[in-house]
Amino acid sequence: MAQRHLDPTDPTAAAGPPPVPAGGDALADYLRAQATEFLRALRLHRESGAGAHGNGAHPSGAHPSGAGALDRGRGRGPVPAPDGPVDAARALRRAARRLSGTLHTFQPLLDAEWAEAMRPELAWLSGTLALEHAYASRLDRLLQALHRLSGSAAFPAQQAGRAAPARAAATADPAPVAPLVPSVTRPSPADRGNLTVGAAKAGALLDRQLTLARTRAHSTALQALGSSRFHAVADKVALLASEVPLKDTAAAAADLRPLAAAARDRLTDAVAALPLVTAGNPYNAQALVHGLSPDPAPHPQDAQWHQVRLLLRLHRYALEVLAGTDADGADGTTDVRLLAAGEALDRHRDASEAAAAAAQAARTPRIAPATAYALGVLHADQRHEVEAARYAFQHSWRKEPIRL
């Protein structure tokens, strides 16, 4: 299909074909559907043994070490479906993100006090549950890059259901708790032998730092899921599944399109402010200007792109509300361009955070020069991945929307 290049500041280019008109009732239906998904994911999460207090007590009072729970690190007990806790945690995050984003976009139609109190709590929950997965994926990404840059054999792919890291199992409570995400497969001694000395030590340093961060994130998530704060959020979501607190009776008949258009316009303005001309070049030397800075703050070029990623997500959620479905294409109106742009921005986020992790590891005192050099090469490689993601974004964003 022929694709024409468009001005990214053109609102029609960002929106695609006009959405189906929807009123406040469509908003209520969407919120109820996402609340139901949240509660279903929570039930699956608890049944899989992943939802627990930090001391191993299940929020419902049942012990997580019953049938279906196990100590993965020590291999005791029956093995549950490896993706059960992972899928449940992912579904929880997904529903929480959509609820929070929808409350942000369509807040004028909802009870203001309720929406203001609910939205940050959902954002807190989604962010807390996402940390462990983020650290595990970051470590996997960096170790894969080290093997690729060293020209050694491919690093073993991440596998679900494998044993958790040994140190996490050693420090775990006697009551076993299944991890929220599958562990990352560690390289065997033979695999590490294929690396140079500096790359092997760099991988070991990253393994220690990110595994420790992941273990702490796992404990934080368990504590959050057993806290009174989470139970308060779950209770409010349960009420939302049956009754949506609209602002007034007129809100039920209100047109949602102006609020959805406002979300689209915010995205369009943010994209217009991006240096897309620079991103159009396969190599952006300015991306490495701050690579040797002692300041551990995020890369100055990344903030704008992260903001566009959030605004793109809000825009997609608004389109879901108007279409009466999610963005997976159940209604047959998926905008392929938005999906491709979102995937590029996700890769951008992953690569930028991986580069920051490599830079942070390189600041470790008293590491060998060969280790620091390997981490520097790894940092530069991930910054090039950032530029590749930016190039992919601008390439997809300028194309004509294609709806399937």
Side-chain angles (χ1 to χ4, degrees):
M1 178 181 297
Q3 297 175 338
R4 60 185 179 89
H5 293 274
L6 301 176
D7 182 356
T9 62
D10 183 3
T12 60
V20 178
D25 289 337
L27 172 62
D29 291 341
Y30 182 83
L31 290 174
R32 280 193 292 265
Q34 294 303 322
T36 301
E37 288 297 321
F38 181 97
L39 297 175
R40 181 182 294 111
L42 177 59
R43 177 176 57 81
L44 294 175
H45 200 252
R46 289 177 172 176
E47 289 177 352
S48 66
H53 292 274
N55 60 2
H58 195 283
S60 63
H63 199 283
S65 60
L70 80 163
D71 186 340
R72 293 182 181 225
R74 298 168 186 171
R76 295 199 305 262
V79 179
D83 290 339
V86 182
D87 292 339
R90 184 182 297 114
L92 267 178
R93 298 199 308 267
R94 181 179 185 273
R97 284 198 310 264
R98 278 165 167 74
L99 286 171
S100 178
T102 303
L103 295 183
H104 175 79
T105 301
F106 299 101
Q107 182 172 338
L109 300 180
L110 301 166
D111 180 84
E113 183 178 355
W114 174 84
E116 283 290 343
M118 188 70 169
R119 185 166 56 85
E121 295 300 293
L122 291 167
W124 159 76
L125 176 62
S126 176
T128 301
L129 295 180
L131 283 177
E132 184 183 3
H133 173 75
Y135 285 124
S137 299
R138 196 171 306 157
L139 177 59
D140 185 40
R141 181 186 186 91
L142 289 170
L143 294 183
Q144 292 274 8
L146 274 176
H147 278 258
R148 172 172 49 82
L149 294 171
S150 300
S152 60
F155 186 70
Q158 180 175 344
Q159 300 176 0
R162 295 299 298 269
R167 68 175 60 86
T171 59
D173 294 327
V177 177
L180 298 180
V181 297
S183 61
V184 179
T185 309
R186 300 292 182 262
S188 65
D191 291 325
R192 286 205 185 277
N194 292 330
L195 295 173
T196 63
V197 174
K201 290 185 177 180
L205 178 60
L206 290 169
D207 194 341
R208 289 196 301 271
Q209 292 183 348
L210 293 178
T211 300
L212 176 61
R214 180 193 170 203
T215 302
R216 291 174 175 172
H218 179 68
S219 299
T220 300
L222 293 178
Q223 293 172 3
L225 292 175
S227 66
S228 58
R229 182 179 182 182
F230 170 75
H231 287 297
V233 174
D235 290 342
K236 291 180 180 179
V237 173
L239 293 176
L240 179 61
S242 59
E243 182 180 358
V244 177
L246 296 176
K247 185 176 182 180
D248 48 39
T249 56
D255 189 355
L256 302 182
R257 288 176 296 178
L259 295 175
R264 178 202 65 203
D265 293 340
R266 288 191 292 269
L267 170 63
T268 303
D269 293 341
V271 173
L274 291 176
L276 288 182
V277 175
T278 303
N281 298 323
Y283 177 76
N284 176 12
Q286 291 298 320
L288 299 177
V289 168
H290 300 273
L292 298 179
S293 171
D295 186 6
H299 198 280
Q301 285 192 359
D302 294 341
Q304 282 182 293
W305 293 87
H306 294 333
Q307 180 66 15
V308 168
R309 176 177 172 271
L310 296 177
L311 293 175
L312 178 60
R313 176 173 288 176
L314 292 177
H315 175 51
R316 286 187 57 198
Y317 296 165
L319 292 181
E320 291 177 8
V321 175
L322 295 182
T325 183
D326 58 26
D328 295 331
D331 67 336
T333 59
T334 301
D335 189 338
V336 178
R337 189 193 61 151
L338 289 182
L339 293 178
E343 291 174 356
L345 291 175
D346 286 342
R347 294 197 303 272
H348 175 275
R349 186 266 321 266
D350 294 342
S352 64
E353 292 181 349
Q360 182 64 29
R363 296 185 180 96
T364 303
R366 297 183 297 278
I367 59 176
T371 305
Y373 174 77
L375 290 170
V377 173
L378 185 60
H379 173 267
D381 173 75
Q382 292 303 302
R383 290 310 306 180
H384 287 311
E385 293 287 339
V386 167
E387 294 307 312
R390 293 179 181 179
Y391 179 80
F393 170 81
Q394 68 88 25
H395 184 68
S396 62
W397 183 259
R398 292 178 180 273
K399 290 181 178 178
E400 181 179 4
I402 303 175
R403 303 186 72 84
L404 300 181

